Amino acid sequence: QVQAKESGGGLAQAGGSLRLSCAASSRTLSSYVMGWFRQSPGKGREFVAAASGTGDNTLYADFAKGRFTISRENANNMVYLQMNSLKPEDTAVYYCAGGLDKDNDLGTVEYGYWGQGTQVIVSS
C-alpha cells in the first residue's frame, strides 16, 4: 500500500518550469510503480509519466516527452515530476499514484493508490 501526497504546484509562465513532489510513503515503496496523472479542464484524467519501482524504467505520454522528467528517491520516500517548457495546455490538477506492475509493462499498471492532487496553472 502507498500513501501519496503531492506538492509543488503553483503558477508558472509559458516556457517556465515547475517541480512537483510526491511524498509516497510505503513500507515497500520500491515494489510499486509510481505515476503522474493530470486532470485538465474539459478532459478526463490523463496519464503523464510513470517510473518503475527502482526508477530504472520510465514511460511518458507523448505530450510529456522531452519536457517532463519523472524520478524517484525511494530512500527519501519521494517521487518527482520535473516540468520544463511549460505550456498553457499543461494547466491541470496533477496527481501521483502507485500500483503494482504485474506484467512488467508500465503501460498496463492498474493504479490503486492516489494522492489528492496539486494545481498547476500555466499562463501565456
Side-chain angles (χ1 to χ4, degrees):
Q1 298 183 352
V2 180
Q3 298 290 329
K5 181 174 174 57
E6 305 91 340
S7 63
L11 179 65
Q13 296 187 32
S17 298
L18 286 172
R19 188 180 73 165
L20 306 184
S21 299
C22 177
S25 299
S26 175
R27 298 184 68 180
T28 55
L29 183 59
S30 63
S31 298
Y32 290 88
V33 172
M34 296 299 298
W36 287 94
F37 295 76
R38 70 185 189 185
Q39 178 73 52
S40 303
K43 298 180 181 179
R45 183 174 292 175
E46 296 179 294
F47 171 79
V48 177
S52 62
T54 62
D56 292 338
N57 297 309
T58 57
L59 178 68
Y60 295 92
D62 286 342
F63 64 78
K65 293 178 180 177
R67 298 193 299 127
F68 296 178
T69 302
I70 186 170
S71 62
R72 57 194 296 170
E73 297 177 352
N74 289 343
N76 296 321
N77 296 319
M78 297 296 294
V79 183
Y80 304 101
L81 183 69
Q82 179 66 46
M83 308 167 65
N84 298 326
S85 301
L86 285 166
K87 304 175 181 179
E89 294 77 25
D90 296 320
T91 296
V93 177
Y94 284 73
Y95 301 87
C96 63
L100 294 176
D101 182 6
K102 297 183 179 181
D103 61 359
N104 199 32
D105 183 354
L106 294 181
T108 61
V109 175
E110 295 184 1
Y111 295 89
Y113 308 97
W114 296 82
Q116 297 298 308
T118 185
Q119 177 72 62
V120 171
I121 300 175
V122 183
S123 62
S124 60

